[in-house]
Amino acid sequence: MMQIDDPLDPLSQQIDDDDNAAIESDSSKVDEEEESPLLLALDDLESRLVTALNEFKSHSGRASNPAVSNIHDELASILRPVVEVASHAGPATARALASTYPHMLNLDLCVDEIYTRVNSDLVLPVVLESAQSDIVPAKRAASLALFHTLHVEWQKAGSYLDGTTNAPSLAGPYGPGITSGGAISNPPFNALEASRRSQIRAARKAELLRRWVQSAIPNLAPGTFTSATLDASAAGRGVLSASAALKPCLRYMAERIGSADDAGALRLFLPVMRMIEGVLGRLFLERARGGNNMNELEQGSKGGAAAGDSLRASCVKFLEIVVLCFSNRALPGMVAGSQAALRMQKRETTNANDFSLEDLPPGHPIITREGLEEIGEYCFSTLRGLVLLGGQAAIDPNLLLAAAASSSVGSDFMGGSSPFTQILDILKPAALAFLKVESAAEKAGAESGDKGSIILDRSSIELDFGLSQKSYSLSINAVQMLATKRPLFFKDSSTCLARRTIDPPGGAAGGPEGSLTKAAVTGIRVHLRSSCLTLLRHFLSVTSGCWEVLANALTQSGMQAQADRALIASRQQLDLMKGGRAARNRAAIFYTWDTSADNSRAAKRQRDTDDAEATVRAAKMARGLGSGIQLPTSMVDACELVLLNLENLPPKRPPVAASTQRKHPMDLDFVMDAVITNGASLSIDENHWYDRDGGDAWMMEEGELGEDGRRALTFTMNSKVLDAAEKSAQGADKLGDSEKAFVEQSKLAASRAFSRVLMSSSNARSGAVADFGKQLAARLAWTLKGVKPSNDIENAHAMAVEATENSLRKGAASEETLAGSLEFALDYPLVSSCLAFDLVPKGPTVPLRDDAGSSNSASFVSSLSMRILNEAYVCSFNENKENYEKCLDVFVSSVVNACDLSNKTPHDSEKKRIANTAASSLPQQLAAMPSVTGTALNLVGSLCDIDEISKKASAKSSKQTIAESAALHAAKAAAEKRATAALLILRDVAFQRDAMRGPAVDCAVAIASGRLPGSPPIEDKALKLVMNVIFPKNSDCADKVVESATKELELAARYSIDNYEKIVKANEASSKKKDKPRNAAKAALLPQSDEEKIALDRVRKPVVLFMALCVRRPEIIKAIMEMSCREGADVLAKAVKTNMPKLTKAASVKHGAANIALRVSDMASERETPLLLSLLDNLAPSTDKSLPSQELIDACHEIQKNRLDADGKTSSRYIIPIVSGMKRDELVHKIPEFVRGSDDIFKASLRRMAEKLGRYVLIFRDEPDPAESTLRGMSSCEQMVYLHHLDFHAVGIPQKRYLDSIRLCLEDDEVFNDRVVQAALDHMSGKFLEGESLPLAYMRTIILTCSKHESLHSWICHVLLPRLVEGNVYTDKRQWEGWMRCAKMLENTRDHGVSSLEAIQKLPEEQLKMYRAKYPQK
C-alpha cells in the first residue's frame, strides 16, 4: 500500500522539543549568496569605501600636521581610496570576475551591479550630501573637488566613460583601455548591445554631471555660513566647481540634443541655469541682498579680505567661461569655404576642452543658440566694464532688488518663466550700467574733436565694487583671451584694452587708486600694455582694423618701437596665411630648422656613436677587403661591406709577406739605426712609407776624387716622390689616391718627428740642448699648421682645447674673443700642444744641467710656451696680427685650467705641483711678454674663483679622515696662494703697462666688488690692493680706480632696476606671512624676502668699494647718490643707506662732519634728498653718547635755509638729526615747526630730542641758572608738557592738528608709556596748584589716558582729580566740563577696585549738585 507523505512532516522535523526553539531556516540560498564571487567583491569594495567615507565624515576639518600638509591635501588623501574604487577598482573587479567565472557571471551584469551599488547608491549620494550640508567649509570644498576628480578619472582608460579605446566592444568599463597590450581579442559585438551600452554610458554621465551641478548650487546661496569669511570661502569653492562643470555639462547637452533626447538635455539644463544664476548673484546682487558681504570682508580682517577677493576673482573667471561657451567660434566676415577660414576653424576645433555655440545642435524648443548668445553678449559687456572702469558701475537699486527677489524665489524656472529670464534680470542691469557710462564717454570724446577717443570723468562714476589686483588681472586676461579665441569680440576687446591703457589706473603719476596699492597699479599698467602688444601682434588686428587704436595706445605709453615690430609681425603672419603652399612650406621648414637643435646629453651621445660608426666604416673602406680583414658574421653587414669596398680593390693582389715585418739584412746600417733610434727602427709599420722606404726618396751619387782628395756628392729626389709633392702643393682638388696618401702620411711623419723633437728636448740633461730643442719645436709648430699631434702629446692638445672651452663658458663678456681662440687652438694643434705641454703630467723628468755641470740652469732656459709666444709676436708683424693674442689666451686658459683641476682633485699631488709651478711662474712670464691683452687679464682674474675648494675645506664631515681633511686644507692654502699671485699680476700690469692699466684695474675692481667670482678672503685682498696699493700710486691710477668703481656701481644700479618688479612681488608675498615689525625704521633697511637678500648681497660690495673711494674723493658722492635714486633702484638705495654709517664715520674723521654735510648738500638734487637725510642722520648717530658738535648744528641749519621746497618754505627734516644737541629753549620754539610737518617728521623729531636723555625720561628738568639756558635736548616728559602749553593760535596751527599731535604721542606706547604720561600730567597739575592755568588739552589728555592706560586709573581717581578740585578746576568752564566727564568715566568702575566717587564727594556743594544734575547717581 502506497504511503502518503505528510506535507507538514518536514516542518515538524525542524521543531525542537525546547520551548524556546525556533524554526531553522533553509540556509542553502544564503550560503549560495555568500559564496557568490560578485557579492564578495561588492562587500570588499563597499567596506573600503565606508572606511574612507567614515574617516572623512568624522574629520574635524583641521590639518593634523600643518607643517607637513594643509587641510585640503589631507582631505584629498583621505578621499583617494574613494576615487580609486569608484573609478578604476570597480570596473577592474567586474572585468576580473567576468573573465574568471565566464559561465556564472556576465560582464555587463557585473559592471552594472558594481556601478549601482558602489557609485549610485553609496559614493555619489554621500559626497553630494557632504558638499551641500557639511558644516566644515574645508570638507565641502573637498567634496566639490571630488566630483571634478571623478569626472576626470572616469574618462581614463578602462573606466566608466572611457573613450580612449578604438575597439567599440572594449570601450568604457568593458575593456582595459589604451594602456593594455595588443594581445587582447575583440569580442563579438552587435548593434543592439552597442545601443544599450551607449544609453547606459549617457545615463551615468548625466548622473555624475547632475549631482556635480547640484553640489555647487547650495554653496552659491548667500548666508550659507553665518561667518562672512566662511561664507565667502564656501562660495568661492562653489564658483570654482561651477566653472569646471560648465563645459562638460554643455557638451553633454549638445550630445543629447544631437541624439533627439530633448528631455534629457533639459533635465541637466535647468540646474545649470540655476548654477549660473547663483554665481552671477554672488557677484552682482550682494548690495541688494543687504549683506554687502564682499565689502565687509574687504574692510575686515586679512583672511576675510583674501576670501572676498578670491570669490570675486573666481566669479570673473566664470564670466570668461560663460562668454567663451555662449559665443560663436567663426571668424567675422569670412566667407564659407575660404582656405584661411578652414585652416583657422580646424586649428580651433582641435581643442577638446573648447565649446562654442557651433557645437550646440539646433532644434531644441528651449535651449536655443539665440538665448545663450544673449547671455554671452551681456557677460562680455560686463567684462569690458570691469576692465575699463576698474569695477562694476553702480546699478539701479530698484533693478537689483527685483533681480534679488526673483533669484531668492528659487522656482526652478517653473510657472511659465523662461530659464534665461532670471539670469538676464541680473546681467542686463550690470551690462547696461556700463554701456550707459561708455556711451556718455564716447559722446564726450566725439564732442572734443578727437576721433575714436573717450572722456571718462572717473570722479563722477559710482561703483558698486572695485577690483583688486588679482581680479583686475583676471579681467584683463579674460578680455584678451576672448579676443584671440573668439574673433567676434576682437575689435571690442582691443578698443577696451587700448582705452584703458591710455587712461590707466593711478593716472599719470601711477599712484595708489582705491584699494589698489602703488605696486598693484604698476603691475596692472604693465599687464595692460602687454595685452595690447599681444593683440597687435595677432593678424586679426590688421583684418579688423584695430591696429591703429592699439598702436596709438602703445605709443602713448612709450612703446612705439615694440608696437612697430608687433605690427610688422602681424602683417607678415597675415601675408603667410594668404600665401600659397610654397610660402607656407618654406616657413614651416625654417621653423623646424630653427627649433631642431637638441643639446641633451642623450642626443650628443647618439651623435658621437654615429660619428664613431661612420669613422670605422670609412677606415674599412679605405683599407679594402685585403690585408686579412675579417668579414662580419652577419651576412647583411658582410654584403654591405663588400659592396662599399668594390671600388677600393687594388688592380692586382698585394704581395703577402712572410711575417708582419719586412726582413732586413743584418748589416752595419741596420745595427746603427737600431742604436740611434733606441730600438724604434726594429718595429717598422709596413703601412707607413716613410718607415718602410722613406730613405729611398733621396739618391746619393759620388763623383770622382778631386785634387783635394775629396769626392763630390750629388743628391737627387726620387721622381715619384717629387711628382707627388708637386701635385700636393698645387691643391687638394687635383690629387689622386696616391697623392692623398702621400699628404696624409707626410703630416703623420711630421707629427711624429715633431713629437720626437719635443720629447727629446724635455728629456735632455743639458740646458743648452733643451733650449735648442724648444726653439726648434716652436718654429716647427707654427710651420706645421693643421698637423694633428701624435699620441705622445695628444693629452696636451686635449687640455688646451678643454681649457679654452671652459674659459669660453665662463667668460660671457669675452665670448667672441675666446671663440676665436678656440678656433685657433683647433687650427694649430701643435701650437696649442706646446702651450699646454708643461701643464700635463708626464712622469719623472731629468734635471737640467748647463755645460759646467750645474743643475741650477733653469733660469736661462726659456720655457716652451715663451718660445711659442715670441714666435707668434714676431710673426704678427707680417701675418695674422691676432694670432699672438689668441695664442696668449690659450696659454693663460691652460694655466687656469691646470689650477682648476688641482682644486677639484686635492689629493693628486702631481696636479697640485703643476698648478703651483705654473701659477708661481706666471707673473714672471707675463712680465717678460711683449704685450698683454684684456682677455688674458680677465682669465688671470678667474684664478681667484676658489670658493668651491674653500667650502670643501671649511665643511665639517664625520666621514672625512684626518688625511682627507689635511689634503683639503693644503689645497685651499695653495689655491689662495695662486689667487694672491693673480692679484700681484694685476698690480704689476697696472704699474708697468700704461696701455693695459685700465683693463687691469677693471679686473681688480671687479674682483673686489664681487662681480668676478672669488672667495671672501680674496675679495678683501682685492679691495686692499685697489684702495691701499693702486689708488695711492699716482693720479692716473686713482682716476682709473674711480672710473672702474663707477662702472661697477652702474652695473649694480642696472641689476637693481632689472630685478625691481621681482623683488617687489617677493616682498609683498613675504609681508603677508610676517607680522608688522615694532621698529619700522630699522626694519626698513633689512631685506624683506630671500630675493631682496640676494640682491642686497650682490650690490653691497660695489657700494662698499665706492664709499671707500668717496672718503678719498668726496666729490664723487654725487655719483652714488644719483645712481641710487634712479627709478627702480630701491635695492641699491637700501644698500647705500645700510652702509652709510661707515661712510659718515670715515668722512667726518678725514674732512669734518660739518664740511661733509655742506658739500653733499650742495651736490644733492631734490630727488636725492632721502640719501642726504640719511647722511645727516648718520653724521649725528643716535648710538653715540656725545652730542652733535655746534659746527654740525650750524651746518644743518644752513642746509635748512638753503634747501627750500617748491613753495619756498623750509623743511624741518634737515635739522632732526641734530635736535639732541640743540638747547631746550631753542627746541621749544622749534616745536610748532615739527607739529606742522607730517606725522613721521613729528615723531622722528620727538625721538631724536630725547635720545641722549634716557635717565631723565620721567623728569622735567629745571635750568641750573635761570638767567642762562644750558640744558640740551628735551626729555619725553618735557615734550608732553611743552606740547600741551603750545599756543597753536599764535603760531598759526589749526586746533585739530594740535590735538592730533598729542594723540600721536599717546599712541606711541614705546616712547610715551604710562609712566611718562603720569609724570607729565603730574607736573602740569602741580604747576596748576602754584597758580598757572591748565593747558587747553589737559583734561582731554586725561580722558584719553583713562581709555588707554588702565594702570593709571587709581592714580587719577585718588590723586589727580582731588588735586584739581583743590585747585578750583571748576572755575574754568572748559576744564570743569572735562573734569566731570573724566569723573563719570571712572565713577562706576568699583568692580575693578577703583572709583572716582571719593574725588566727587570732595566737590563743593554747589559743584556737586551741578555734577549730579548732569550725571545722576544710579
Side-chain angles (χ1 to χ4, degrees):
M1 186 174 177
M2 183 178 296
Q3 184 179 2
I4 301 175
D5 296 330
D6 188 355
L8 300 179
D9 185 62
L11 183 60
S12 63
Q13 293 178 1
Q14 299 176 11
I15 300 178
D16 193 84
D17 295 335
D18 189 3
D19 295 337
N20 296 324
I23 299 176
E24 296 180 3
S25 61
D26 186 4
S27 61
S28 61
K29 294 184 179 181
V30 177
D31 294 340
E32 183 179 356
E33 290 179 358
E34 290 179 354
E35 294 175 357
S36 173
L38 178 58
L39 296 179
L40 293 175
L42 279 171
D43 291 341
D44 179 63
L45 294 175
E46 287 178 343
S47 64
R48 292 166 59 185
L49 288 173
V50 169
T51 301
L53 290 174
N54 284 340
E55 182 182 1
F56 174 75
K57 297 287 286 184
S58 61
H59 198 279
S60 63
R62 296 188 178 185
S64 57
N65 191 358
V68 177
S69 62
N70 55 32
I71 180 59
H72 300 291
D73 294 338
E74 186 172 332
L75 292 176
S77 63
I78 294 175
L79 291 176
R80 188 62 197 170
V82 178
V83 177
E84 294 176 354
V85 172
S87 304
H88 304 293
T93 302
R95 291 192 296 268
L97 291 173
S99 61
T100 306
Y101 306 98
H103 302 292
M104 183 186 304
L105 299 173
N106 178 264
L107 177 59
D108 293 70
L109 173 65
C110 294
V111 170
D112 295 343
E113 187 69 18
I114 290 177
Y115 177 83
T116 302
R117 291 271 298 268
V118 171
N119 293 343
S120 293
D121 297 343
L122 182 58
V123 175
L124 295 180
V126 172
V127 176
L128 176 62
E129 186 269 339
S130 178
Q132 289 180 337
S133 59
D134 203 298
I135 61 175
V136 180
K139 294 165 69 174
R140 283 200 180 200
S143 302
L144 291 171
L146 185 63
F147 281 106
H148 188 199
T149 305
L150 289 176
H151 182 262
V152 174
E153 295 295 328
W154 282 17
Q155 298 183 62
K156 291 186 178 180
S159 193
Y160 294 107
L161 303 180
D162 171 30
T164 60
T165 309
N166 295 327
S169 59
L170 296 178
Y174 309 102
I178 59 175
T179 57
S180 62
I184 298 179
S185 60
N186 189 1
F189 198 57
N190 54 43
L192 184 62
E193 186 69 15
S195 175
R196 191 189 73 83
R197 288 187 177 181
S198 176
Q199 293 176 3
I200 293 176
R201 173 190 173 94
R204 290 168 182 165
K205 189 173 184 178
E207 181 182 15
L208 176 62
L209 294 175
R210 187 167 56 253
R211 292 181 186 268
W212 189 1
V213 173
Q214 291 172 352
S215 68
I217 292 175
N219 293 278
L220 301 173
T224 303
F225 290 91
T226 55
S227 171
T229 302
L230 297 181
D231 184 65
S233 177
R237 293 287 179 171
V239 174
L240 292 177
S241 181
S243 301
L246 184 58
K247 288 183 181 179
C249 292
L250 292 174
R251 285 199 169 278
Y252 174 78
M253 287 187 284
E255 293 175 1
R256 291 295 88 205
I257 295 174
S259 301
D261 185 8
D262 293 348
L266 188 62
R267 279 194 295 269
L268 184 59
F269 176 73
L270 296 179
V272 168
M273 291 294 104
R274 287 195 60 198
M275 180 180 70
I276 296 176
E277 177 201 352
V279 177
L280 296 177
R282 292 311 297 254
L283 182 61
F284 298 111
L285 300 183
E286 290 300 308
R287 187 161 66 94
R289 286 168 175 166
N292 204 13
N293 291 334
M294 287 194 185
N295 295 332
E296 292 178 2
L297 285 170
E298 293 173 355
Q299 298 171 3
S301 62
K302 183 187 294 186
D309 185 30
S310 299
L311 173 57
R312 186 164 290 154
S314 303
C315 294
V316 170
K317 186 65 179 177
F318 184 81
L319 282 179
E320 172 193 335
I321 297 174
V322 170
V323 178
L324 196 66
C325 296
F326 294 174
S327 57
N328 292 311
R329 190 187 296 117
L331 296 174
M334 187 165 287
V335 296
S338 172
Q339 295 298 324
L342 292 176
R343 288 198 301 271
M344 182 57 61
Q345 290 280 12
K346 183 177 180 181
R347 186 179 67 182
E348 292 290 341
T349 54
T350 54
N351 188 0
N353 294 323
D354 194 13
F355 183 86
S356 65
L357 290 180
E358 287 92 342
D359 299 326
L360 184 68
H364 198 283
I366 297 178
I367 310 174
T368 61
R369 293 184 180 181
E370 292 77 10
L372 297 178
E373 187 176 12
E374 186 178 7
I375 294 175
E377 290 176 352
Y378 281 125
C379 285
F380 179 69
S381 299
T382 305
L383 276 176
R384 289 196 301 116
L386 294 178
V387 173
L388 192 59
L389 303 180
Q392 173 59 45
I395 308 174
D396 187 356
N398 296 325
L399 297 178
L400 283 178
L401 290 173
S406 174
S407 175
S408 61
V409 172
S411 60
D412 283 341
F413 310 110
M414 298 302 174
S417 62
S418 170
F420 306 109
T421 302
Q422 296 179 7
I423 297 177
L424 292 176
D425 287 344
I426 301 173
L427 274 178
K428 265 188 179 180
L432 293 177
F434 160 68
L435 294 176
K436 180 180 179 181
V437 173
E438 185 185 35
S439 61
E442 290 177 348
K443 182 178 180 181
E447 292 175 355
S448 66
D450 190 0
K451 181 181 179 182
S453 65
I454 62 171
I455 298 178
L456 276 176
D457 185 9
R458 298 188 179 274
S459 61
S460 63
I461 299 175
E462 183 182 355
L463 299 179
D464 280 347
F465 59 84
L467 297 180
S468 65
Q469 183 180 8
K470 179 180 179 181
S471 51
Y472 212 142
S473 299
L474 286 174
S475 302
I476 296 172
N477 281 337
V479 174
Q480 176 190 338
M481 189 278 297
L482 291 172
T484 55
K485 293 291 185 181
R486 297 293 181 263
L488 176 68
F489 301 128
F490 190 91
K491 186 172 183 178
D492 292 336
S493 300
S494 302
T495 304
C496 174
L497 291 174
R499 288 173 174 177
R500 191 50 169 159
T501 304
I502 296 173
D503 182 19
E513 180 176 305
S515 61
L516 300 175
T517 63
K518 183 177 181 180
V521 167
T522 303
I524 292 172
R525 293 162 74 104
V526 174
H527 195 174
L528 287 168
R529 292 195 293 267
S530 64
S531 299
C532 289
L533 193 63
T534 301
L535 295 184
L536 182 57
R537 196 178 290 115
H538 201 281
F539 74 94
L540 286 174
S541 64
V542 181
T543 58
S544 62
C546 300
W547 63 269
E548 293 183 357
V549 65
L550 292 171
N552 182 35
L554 292 172
T555 301
Q556 294 189 30
S557 302
M559 298 178 62
Q560 182 176 1
Q562 295 89 330
D564 294 341
R565 290 195 295 268
L567 183 59
I568 293 173
S570 62
R571 287 173 174 171
Q572 289 177 348
Q573 184 183 5
L574 183 61
D575 293 341
L576 186 61
M577 292 180 60
K578 294 180 178 179
R581 184 178 299 274
R584 294 196 302 273
N585 289 342
R586 284 195 300 271
I589 289 173
F590 172 77
Y591 177 78
T592 303
W593 171 82
D594 192 33
T595 60
S596 62
D598 188 359
N599 294 325
S600 62
R601 301 178 68 180
K604 183 177 183 300
R605 189 161 52 247
Q606 182 63 38
R607 290 196 299 271
D608 294 342
T609 303
D610 297 342
D611 294 343
E613 183 179 355
T615 304
V616 172
R617 180 168 296 180
K620 289 182 178 180
M621 291 171 59
R623 291 198 300 267
L625 296 179
S627 301
I629 293 180
Q630 184 177 1
L631 292 176
T633 56
S634 172
M635 180 60 68
V636 176
D637 294 341
C639 293
E640 181 183 4
L641 185 61
V642 170
L643 293 175
L644 290 174
N645 283 275
L646 285 177
E647 60 182 10
N648 297 320
L649 289 176
K652 60 180 181 178
R653 185 172 182 176
V656 179
S659 63
T660 57
Q661 296 180 356
R662 176 174 295 183
K663 295 182 178 180
H664 294 277
M666 294 293 294
D667 51 10
L668 181 60
D669 293 336
F670 180 83
V671 176
M672 290 178 63
D673 290 339
V675 173
I676 293 174
T677 61
N678 198 18
S681 62
L682 300 178
S683 57
I684 297 176
D685 191 350
E686 290 292 324
N687 292 325
H688 295 163
W689 65 271
Y690 56 86
D691 280 344
R692 183 175 68 249
D693 51 3
D696 296 338
W698 290 92
M699 295 180 294
M700 183 183 68
E701 296 181 0
E702 295 183 3
E704 297 182 357
L705 186 64
E707 297 179 355
D708 54 358
R710 298 181 179 180
R711 294 180 181 273
L713 300 178
T714 304
F715 294 91
T716 306
M717 179 174 285
N718 191 319
S719 59
K720 294 182 178 180
V721 176
L722 182 60
D723 292 339
E726 290 178 350
K727 289 183 179 180
S728 63
Q730 294 176 1
D733 298 335
K734 300 180 181 180
L735 296 180
D737 294 339
S738 59
E739 288 81 9
K740 290 181 180 179
F742 170 80
V743 172
E744 293 175 359
Q745 296 202 13
S746 296
K747 291 182 178 180
L748 184 58
S751 175
R752 292 197 171 188
F754 179 82
S755 177
R756 286 196 296 270
V757 171
L758 191 57
M759 297 302 294
S760 299
S761 63
S762 63
N763 295 327
R765 292 180 178 271
S766 172
V769 174
D771 188 31
F772 175 78
K774 292 177 181 178
Q775 184 178 0
L776 180 60
R779 293 287 181 89
L780 291 175
W782 284 103
T783 304
L784 301 174
K785 180 181 179 181
V787 176
K788 296 182 179 180
S790 63
N791 295 334
D792 296 334
I793 59 174
E794 175 62 25
N795 292 338
H797 174 62
M799 180 185 180
V801 174
E802 179 186 0
T804 312
E805 290 176 344
N806 293 337
S807 300
L808 181 60
R809 283 193 292 268
K810 294 179 183 178
S814 307
E815 182 177 355
E816 183 177 355
T817 304
L818 291 174
S821 301
L822 178 59
E823 184 179 358
F824 167 83
L826 297 174
D827 292 341
Y828 291 87
L830 297 182
V831 173
S832 58
S833 301
C834 292
L835 293 173
F837 182 76
D838 293 330
L839 303 176
V840 294
K842 292 182 288 294
T845 58
V846 180
L848 296 177
R849 295 182 180 273
D850 57 10
D851 296 338
S854 173
S855 60
N856 296 324
S857 60
S859 59
F860 73 88
V861 179
S862 299
S863 65
L864 179 60
S865 55
M866 287 299 299
R867 289 287 187 185
I868 291 288
L869 289 167
N870 290 336
E871 289 289 334
Y873 187 77
V874 172
C875 295
S876 65
F877 290 101
N878 300 323
E879 301 176 5
N880 193 346
K881 296 183 179 180
E882 298 178 354
N883 278 351
Y884 171 77
E885 298 177 355
K886 297 176 181 178
C887 186
L888 179 60
D889 294 342
V890 174
F891 169 66
V892 180
S893 298
S894 301
V895 174
V896 173
N897 189 62
C899 297
D900 291 341
L901 292 176
S902 176
N903 294 337
K904 293 178 182 179
T905 56
H907 305 288
D908 193 334
S909 58
E910 179 64 15
K911 291 183 180 179
K912 181 179 177 181
R913 181 193 64 79
I914 293 174
N916 292 340
T917 303
S920 61
S921 61
L922 187 61
Q924 293 79 13
Q925 291 176 335
L926 290 179
M929 289 179 185
S931 67
V932 181
T933 63
T935 305
L937 292 178
N938 289 332
L939 294 174
V940 170
S942 63
L943 286 174
C944 297
D945 186 10
I946 59 173
D947 193 46
E948 183 177 356
I949 185 63
S950 300
K951 290 180 180 179
K952 287 182 180 179
S954 302
K956 295 181 180 180
S957 176
S958 58
K959 298 181 180 180
Q960 283 185 359
T961 62
I962 297 177
E964 291 176 345
S965 179
L968 286 173
H969 282 84
K972 175 186 175 183
E976 290 180 351
K977 196 172 182 179
R978 294 192 292 268
T980 305
L983 295 178
L984 295 177
I985 291 174
L986 297 177
R987 179 202 63 184
D988 295 339
V989 173
F991 288 173
Q992 300 170 6
R993 300 179 186 267
D994 296 340
M996 297 306 299
R997 179 171 296 158
V1001 173
D1002 288 344
C1003 185
V1005 171
I1007 297 172
S1009 61
R1011 182 170 60 84
L1012 291 182
S1015 64
I1018 298 303
E1019 290 177 352
D1020 293 340
K1021 288 184 179 181
L1023 182 60
K1024 294 176 182 177
L1025 170 67
V1026 172
M1027 296 304 304
N1028 301 336
V1029 179
I1030 299 179
F1031 185 91
K1033 182 67 176 177
N1034 52 49
S1035 60
D1036 186 46
C1037 289
D1039 294 340
K1040 295 294 184 184
V1041 170
V1042 173
E1043 181 181 351
S1044 300
T1046 306
K1047 293 179 183 177
E1048 295 298 329
L1049 192 65
E1050 181 69 32
L1051 292 175
R1054 196 176 307 161
Y1055 172 84
S1056 177
I1057 295 171
D1058 294 341
N1059 292 271
Y1060 171 75
E1061 294 183 0
K1062 182 176 71 172
I1063 294 172
V1064 169
K1065 292 180 181 178
N1067 289 349
E1068 290 176 354
S1070 179
S1071 63
K1072 296 178 181 178
K1073 303 177 182 178
K1074 297 180 180 179
D1075 296 331
K1076 188 175 181 180
R1078 298 186 65 182
N1079 194 336
K1082 293 183 178 179
L1085 298 180
L1086 297 177
Q1088 305 300 319
S1089 61
D1090 294 338
E1091 286 76 6
E1092 188 176 18
K1093 184 177 184 301
I1094 294 172
L1096 281 174
D1097 293 339
R1098 166 67 178 82
V1099 303
R1100 180 183 60 83
K1101 295 171 185 176
V1103 168
V1104 172
L1105 172 62
F1106 201 86
M1107 283 185 169
L1109 293 173
C1110 290
V1111 178
R1112 311 284 181 91
R1113 292 186 176 182
E1115 63 271 12
I1116 65 174
I1117 295 179
K1118 171 65 177 177
I1120 193 172
M1121 296 179 70
E1122 187 274 328
M1123 294 183 195
S1124 303
C1125 294
R1126 293 177 183 175
E1127 185 176 358
D1130 294 2
V1131 172
L1132 182 61
K1134 182 178 285 190
V1136 172
K1137 292 179 181 179
T1138 304
N1139 294 276
M1140 189 67 77
K1142 301 177 183 178
L1143 172 62
T1144 54
K1145 184 177 180 180
S1148 60
V1149 171
K1150 187 175 180 63
H1151 304 282
N1155 183 24
I1156 286 294
L1158 292 173
R1159 293 179 66 177
V1160 175
S1161 174
D1162 294 339
M1163 292 186 290
S1165 62
E1166 184 63 28
R1167 187 185 183 91
E1168 298 153 8
T1169 300
L1171 287 183
L1172 173 61
L1173 295 174
S1174 177
L1175 178 78
L1176 297 176
D1177 197 54
N1178 285 278
L1179 284 173
S1182 58
T1183 56
D1184 192 359
K1185 295 182 180 180
S1186 60
L1187 296 175
S1189 63
Q1190 188 62 39
E1191 291 80 4
L1192 181 60
I1193 295 175
D1194 296 339
C1196 290
H1197 279 93
E1198 185 177 351
I1199 293 172
Q1200 183 189 24
K1201 294 178 182 178
N1202 295 334
R1203 297 183 67 86
L1204 303 178
D1205 58 12
D1207 299 330
K1209 299 180 180 179
T1210 60
S1211 175
S1212 58
R1213 296 176 297 172
Y1214 302 105
I1215 63 172
I1216 290 178
I1218 47 89
V1219 292
S1220 61
M1222 294 176 61
K1223 294 181 179 180
R1224 191 176 69 177
D1225 289 351
E1226 297 176 355
L1227 292 177
V1228 172
H1229 297 292
K1230 289 290 184 181
I1231 285 180
E1233 188 175 343
F1234 295 133
V1235 172
R1236 289 192 193 97
S1238 63
D1239 293 349
D1240 294 336
I1241 293 177
F1242 175 66
K1243 290 191 289 185
S1245 63
L1246 296 182
R1247 286 177 180 267
R1248 276 289 198 173
M1249 289 180 193
E1251 65 186 5
K1252 311 289 185 181
L1253 303 174
R1255 293 190 301 173
Y1256 304 99
V1257 65
L1258 303 178
I1259 301 174
F1260 187 93
R1261 298 170 297 164
D1262 293 327
E1263 289 284 358
D1265 185 3
E1268 182 181 0
S1269 176
T1270 58
L1271 295 178
R1272 295 185 180 271
M1274 186 180 291
S1275 66
S1276 301
C1277 176
E1278 295 166 355
Q1279 292 172 8
M1280 286 290 292
V1281 173
Y1282 285 118
L1283 192 59
H1284 277 79
H1285 285 287
L1286 176 64
D1287 189 357
F1288 57 90
H1289 286 298
V1291 295
I1293 295 178
Q1295 180 177 348
K1296 183 178 183 303
R1297 179 58 186 167
Y1298 163 71
L1299 297 176
D1300 286 344
S1301 63
I1302 298 176
R1303 177 184 53 80
L1304 288 174
C1305 295
L1306 295 175
E1307 290 177 352
D1308 193 353
D1309 295 336
E1310 294 184 9
V1311 178
F1312 298 94
N1313 52 34
D1314 54 351
R1315 298 182 63 192
V1316 173
V1317 176
Q1318 179 183 355
L1321 294 175
D1322 184 74
H1323 176 81
M1324 287 185 283
S1325 64
K1327 292 294 183 181
F1328 175 63
L1329 293 179
E1330 295 177 3
E1332 292 186 7
S1333 60
L1334 289 175
L1336 176 66
Y1338 183 77
M1339 291 307 305
R1340 180 178 180 273
T1341 302
I1342 296 177
I1343 294 173
L1344 293 176
T1345 303
C1346 292
S1347 303
K1348 187 171 185 62
H1349 299 293
E1350 188 176 352
S1351 59
L1352 296 181
H1353 284 184
S1354 176
W1355 177 78
I1356 294 174
C1357 291
H1358 299 102
V1359 178
L1360 185 58
L1361 292 180
R1363 182 184 296 174
L1364 295 177
V1365 172
E1366 182 182 355
N1368 299 329
V1369 68
Y1370 42 79
T1371 59
D1372 188 336
K1373 182 178 180 181
R1374 183 186 295 270
Q1375 303 294 349
W1376 166 239
E1377 181 67 26
W1379 191 97
M1380 289 192 294
R1381 290 181 60 186
C1382 180
K1384 176 59 179 175
M1385 289 177 62
L1386 301 177
E1387 181 181 1
N1388 299 322
T1389 58
R1390 192 173 302 173
D1391 297 339
H1392 300 283
V1394 178
S1395 176
S1396 62
L1397 189 60
E1398 180 181 351
I1400 296 172
Q1401 293 175 353
K1402 291 183 179 181
L1403 289 170
E1405 183 178 357
E1406 181 180 356
Q1407 279 71 29
L1408 180 60
K1409 290 180 180 179
M1410 187 184 304
Y1411 175 82
R1412 287 305 178 192
K1414 187 169 186 178
Y1415 301 108
Q1417 187 174 9
K1418 296 182 180 179

